[in-house]
Amino acid sequence: MLNKKNIKILFFGTPEISAYLLEELIKNNYNIIGLVAQEDKPVGRKGVIEAVPTKKVALKYNLPVYQYKKVSEHVDEIKKLEPDLILTLAFGQIVSHELLMVPKYGCLNLHGSILPKYRGAAPIQYSLLNGDKETGISLMEMVDKMDAGRVFAIEKIKIEDEDNYTTLVDKLKVASFLCVDKYLDGYLNGELKGEEQDESLVTFTKKIKEEDEVINFNEDATVLFNKIRALAMNPGAHFIFNDVKYKVFKTSVVKDNSDKKPGTIISYDKKNFIVKCKNDALKIEILQKPGKKAMDYNDFYNGNAKTFEINQII
């Protein structure tokens, strides 16, 4: 019987969610022989080059790091590492067929949705955008087609109304390790045969762009509520008023049947900041001015009592 902790695993991943999984695998004595990650990139206003999150973990544990602009151009180097298994989570590059053929036990990917729903680049955000009540991590076979391989296991989690992108990532971090720890032995020993995905149920996500971050009060309040939490706390949805960009990180839906124009400020006082939407209204609870920290509405109002007025249009 194969043991998941004895086989040589080459880990592919880049952002925070991948860094969490990599560290948990290392701490639990998995035989991680190296990390393959995206290249380091400039961070912040000053554009300082900073190590990607997984690289920071790898260096902490003296793990070899391989960073390639195009990993599929470095198949020969990866072959020399002789991995038994390639395991990926949010790597961020397409992996070639030649590379998929390198490990004797194949390549597995952890995908942040309940496949076949939300194949593509932003599954976590889309589960929130669409107001889903559950999501999960799918342990799947990597094939030439994006997110299309057999699914060997799914670790599901509930999505609460209070969840946003940040909290959901935290839940999925934990689910990713649980999924590997519970099911990898079964995969290696052939006990998990995997299920082909039903192509008739496939949905795709697209990368979130800057224009997707704009709050348009001509939309329904519930749509905006979901959009705001799908982008919180990073990068944050925003509206612009008097040439100032205000990021909004938390709201709640307020019933409103008035015929006021969408974008009309219904309430702006010590207690509430409420804006009319196409249907109903949004109560803004956490927001941020440029150059300032995000703050709850009470703190914001104390320093910005004259910024908005009732009946103004945003």
Side-chain angles (χ1 to χ4, degrees):
M1 294 284 285
L2 289 169
N3 186 305
K4 63 195 174 193
K5 296 187 179 182
N6 292 333
I7 65 161
K8 294 183 292 183
I9 299 174
L10 184 60
F11 187 85
F12 284 43
T14 302
E16 290 289 348
I17 189 170
S18 313
Y20 175 91
L21 175 59
L22 175 60
E23 185 156 28
E24 286 301 299
L25 293 171
I26 294 169
K27 285 161 60 176
N28 283 274
N29 300 315
Y30 282 75
N31 185 16
I32 309 298
I33 62 170
L35 164 70
V36 179
Q38 296 269 48
E39 295 178 314
D40 300 334
K41 294 181 179 179
V43 176
R45 293 179 181 178
K46 296 182 179 179
V48 177
I49 301 294
E50 185 176 309
V52 296
T54 45
K55 182 178 180 180
K56 292 177 183 178
V57 172
L59 294 177
K60 177 180 174 181
Y61 292 94
N62 298 314
L63 194 68
V65 178
Y66 309 93
Q67 292 176 281
Y68 305 123
K69 187 173 183 179
K70 292 184 179 180
V71 68
S72 294
E73 295 178 355
H74 299 269
V75 175
D76 288 341
E77 294 171 45
I78 291 174
K79 282 181 179 177
K80 292 177 183 177
L81 301 177
E82 299 182 339
D84 294 321
L85 177 77
I86 286 176
L87 179 66
T88 78
L89 172 59
F91 173 52
Q93 289 187 35
I94 299 296
V95 176
S96 67
H97 177 78
E98 186 182 7
L99 183 51
L100 292 175
M101 295 298 103
V102 170
K104 68 173 75 172
Y105 299 112
C107 301
L108 292 178
N109 180 47
L110 290 152
H111 184 75
S113 77
I114 300 173
L115 288 170
K117 198 173 187 179
Y118 305 144
R119 292 183 187 174
I124 304 173
Q125 290 95 329
Y126 271 76
S127 64
L128 290 163
L129 283 169
N130 291 328
D132 294 347
K133 298 301 181 185
E134 71 171 2
T135 186
I137 287 283
S138 296
L139 182 66
M140 58 167 295
E141 170 190 37
M142 292 177 70
V143 295
D144 291 334
K145 189 176 176 182
M146 184 175 64
D147 301 328
R150 289 175 294 165
V151 177
F152 295 100
I154 298 175
E155 191 72 20
K156 295 182 179 180
I157 60 171
K158 289 183 179 179
I159 303 176
E160 308 291 347
D161 286 345
E162 291 295 310
D163 276 321
N164 59 24
Y165 174 71
T166 301
T167 64
L168 199 53
V169 167
D170 286 342
K171 289 182 177 182
L172 288 168
K173 286 178 183 178
V174 176
S176 66
F177 176 71
L178 288 175
C179 199
V180 173
D181 207 43
K182 286 165 65 174
Y183 299 111
L184 186 54
D185 273 344
Y187 165 78
L188 293 170
N189 289 294
E191 297 159 9
L192 297 178
K193 302 301 181 183
E195 290 188 14
E196 299 288 345
Q197 296 184 46
D198 186 340
E199 292 293 322
S200 69
L201 299 177
V202 169
T203 60
F204 290 94
T205 70
K206 59 177 182 169
K207 188 176 180 180
I208 303 293
K209 298 181 179 178
E210 191 171 350
E211 56 263 33
D212 299 321
E213 299 166 14
V214 177
I215 297 170
N216 181 353
F217 290 104
N218 287 294
E219 295 185 276
D220 290 351
T222 299
V223 170
L224 292 177
F225 165 77
N226 286 328
K227 179 176 192 170
I228 288 162
R229 65 195 190 119
L231 298 173
M233 299 291 291
N234 186 40
H238 69 266
F239 66 85
I240 296 175
F241 181 73
N242 288 341
D243 296 324
V244 178
K245 181 190 286 189
Y246 295 88
K247 289 193 174 186
V248 180
F249 299 110
K250 185 179 180 182
T251 62
S252 55
V253 176
V254 177
K255 291 295 179 184
D256 183 275
N257 296 317
S258 71
D259 59 359
K260 290 181 183 291
K261 183 178 179 180
T264 301
I265 297 175
I266 297 172
S267 176
Y268 184 70
D269 54 31
K270 290 182 178 181
K271 294 183 179 180
N272 293 304
F273 183 13
I274 299 174
V275 183
K276 174 65 178 171
C277 301
K278 179 181 178 182
N279 288 314
D280 295 323
L282 272 187
K283 179 180 178 181
I284 297 175
E285 299 176 7
I286 297 178
L287 69 166
Q288 180 182 25
K289 284 178 66 175
K292 302 291 184 179
K293 293 182 179 180
M295 60 185 74
D296 67 40
Y297 172 66
N298 289 337
D299 290 337
F300 176 87
Y301 184 81
N302 287 337
N304 300 274
K306 296 182 180 180
T307 300
F308 303 99
E309 294 178 5
I310 295 175
N311 293 325
Q312 283 182 323
I313 304 294
I314 295 177

